[in-house]
Amino acid sequence: MSGLVLDSGLSQQRSWRLPPIGALLALGFLLAVLLAALAPQLFTRLDPLAITPREAFQAPSLAHWLGTDQSGRDIYARIVHGARQSLAIGIAATALAFTLAIFLGLLAGLGGRRLDQLISGVLEVLFAFPSLVLALLFVAVFGSGVGPLIVATGLGAAPGYARLVRGQVLAVRQAGYLEAARALGHSPLRIITRQLLPNAMRPLVVTVTMGVGQAIVWASALSFLGLGARPPAPEWGTMLSMGRDFIANAWWLTFFPGLFIVLTTLSTTVAGRYLQRRLEGRHE
């Protein structure tokens, strides 16, 4: 009896163990980015669009922590306010991609052999192209701007997600608990929404978490090419694009926006890996 109590106490202690320092730093950084997106006034009172020509191209200092750009705008304020647009683009594009992936994956996994072959063939053709190239193609069709940028990034990422969803649906659809639900007379819609989807999607939570960071990178790349948010919007990719002409003399114009893009992507990856270990029951 005492052995059981001891084992229970040890397992409870392991379950309450703090995340490793890397995961804590990643989660802390993502929390700060989220707060900046929701309430930028908590971090700065400066207007990210305020132009002060006499303060143009000031290097990082106590007055301007990350320097100023060619129009005298404060880089720190622009990065803080840009978190909202960059994070919103990443989340919206990932949500769009995963919604399309669920629809196509369910059709391919449950729609019969011919429909599966048709959808799988289309996905294979799309997957043969790099996702960023697909996003560039969609931007060329829909035009530039934040809305088309979200659609283009989401459509570019959808084929990869759809393949994963299809594989999970095929792996889960013959499970015993689904057969039991059919035997109990549950409707197909209820079986899909209550049994199949939750169990098929659980392993993909990690992929979606890391996909937000990847979507931010793709959206920033498109904005850098002038196909995303239009200047002087404080979007991180647009800031990179605006500062590239002055990189030789004002390195901070591109360094700090690029740094925050990298840190956000790295943090989503680390947080996703930690979440994966937790879902798999590994607490180390």
Side-chain angles (χ1 to χ4, degrees), residues 91-143:
I91 293 175
T94 303
L96 174 62
F98 205 62
T99 300
L100 291 174
I102 291 175
F103 176 72
L104 294 175
L106 284 175
L107 281 181
L110 302 176
R113 181 179 176 183
R114 292 185 178 179
L115 187 58
D116 183 22
Q117 290 178 342
L118 175 61
I119 295 177
S120 297
V122 173
L123 292 178
E124 289 294 335
V125 171
L126 294 176
F127 200 70
F129 295 91
S131 298
L132 188 56
V133 173
L134 282 179
L136 282 169
L137 175 63
F138 291 132
V139 165
V141 173
F142 295 115

Side-chain angles (χ1 to χ4, degrees), residues 6 60 110 143 157 187 192 198 215 235 254 262 273 281:
L6 180 61
L110 302 176
S187 66
I192 291 174
E235 194 269 332
T254 53
V262 171
R273 294 298 185 189

Side-chain angles (χ1 to χ4, degrees), residues 76-236:
Y76 172 72
R78 288 176 62 75
I79 287 177
V80 169
H81 284 267
R84 173 179 298 174
Q85 198 166 59
S86 296
L87 193 62
I89 289 172
I91 293 175
T94 303
L96 174 62
F98 205 62
T99 300
L100 291 174
I102 291 175
F103 176 72
L104 294 175
L106 284 175
L107 281 181
L110 302 176
R113 181 179 176 183
R114 292 185 178 179
L115 187 58
D116 183 22
Q117 290 178 342
L118 175 61
I119 295 177
S120 297
V122 173
L123 292 178
E124 289 294 335
V125 171
L126 294 176
F127 200 70
F129 295 91
S131 298
L132 188 56
V133 173
L134 282 179
L136 282 169
L137 175 63
F138 291 132
V139 165
V141 173
F142 295 115
S144 60
V146 174
L149 179 64
I150 292 173
V151 174
T153 305
L155 293 179
Y161 289 140
R163 289 183 64 185
L164 294 175
V165 172
R166 173 187 173 274
Q168 286 297 122
V169 170
L170 291 176
V172 171
R173 69 178 184 178
Q174 300 299 332
Y177 53 82
L178 294 183
E179 295 294 336
R182 295 188 190 99
L184 291 174
H186 293 170
S187 66
L189 180 60
R190 180 174 180 180
I191 293 174
I192 291 174
T193 56
R194 298 288 185 87
Q195 300 290 337
L196 190 146
L197 269 180
N199 288 281
M201 297 302 106
R202 187 176 294 115
L204 300 180
V205 172
V206 177
T207 304
V208 173
T209 302
M210 294 186 288
V212 172
Q214 187 64 60
I216 291 175
V217 171
W218 291 347
S220 298
L222 293 174
S223 294
F224 179 79
L225 296 175
L227 302 174
R230 296 181 177 89
E235 194 269 332
W236 294 343

Side-chain angles (χ1 to χ4, degrees), residues 262-280:
V262 171
L263 289 178
T264 303
T265 305
L266 179 62
S267 297
T268 56
T269 301
V270 172
R273 294 298 185 189
Y274 173 71
L275 180 60
Q276 182 180 35
R277 291 195 296 270
R278 295 290 298 183
L279 291 175
E280 292 175 353

